[in-house]
Amino acid sequence: MSAHMKPTVYVADDDADVLGSLRFLLEADGFDVRTFRSGTALLKASDHALVDCFVVDYKMPELNGVELAERLRKQGATAPVVLITGHYDDRLAARAAAVGIQDFLLKPLLDDNLVKRIRKAIANDHSATAQRAS
């Protein structure tokens, strides 16, 4: 992402109302947002290299959010993944961490928390990339 471009966030959630709300929230905060009704649809998007952050729901048909993150990594996507879920438990946290998910948030408390977590994930990812390059 260059300094003059908006950060790009891909959001996957099977609930159309949630997708609409997240799109509105993130666009209002300056992100370029692309939404997907399933993990499979997100995986078919060909431009993962242009994504600054993925926001994925845990509970979706076909692929859950952890499986989606794992497949994104296998496709070469390196952007951070923020998992959103209605149900937290330690096993989910461990599985998420194992596939490189750095952060997750509980629904319905997304609002500004989500924006802050995305910005932090992008900043951390850019710092790590700069360190690897030097």
Side-chain angles (χ1 to χ4, degrees), residues 58-78:
Y58 173 68
K59 194 171 184 179
M60 294 185 288
E62 300 172 24
L63 293 172
N64 68 44
V66 172
E67 294 165 337
L68 173 57
E70 185 174 29
R71 291 201 188 172
L72 284 166
R73 296 299 181 234
K74 287 180 180 175
Q75 287 185 350
T78 60

Side-chain angles (χ1 to χ4, degrees), residues 1 3 32 36 44 46 59 63-64 67 84 116 119:
M1 179 189 76
D32 183 19
F36 303 88
K44 290 180 182 174
S46 62
K59 194 171 184 179
L63 293 172
N64 68 44
E67 294 165 337
I84 55 176
K116 288 176 190 171
R119 290 200 184 284

Side-chain angles (χ1 to χ4, degrees), residues 1-2 4 9-10 14 20 23 26 31-32 35 37 40 43 50 53 56 58-59 79 81 90 98 104 125-126 133:
M1 179 189 76
S2 66
H4 68 281
V9 178
Y10 278 17
D14 59 314
R23 175 186 288 278
L26 297 174
F31 294 100
D32 183 19
T35 59
R37 291 285 305 269
T40 305
L43 286 171
L50 303 177
C53 189
V56 300
Y58 173 68
K59 194 171 184 179
V81 177
D90 290 335
F104 57 92
D125 185 58
H126 287 283

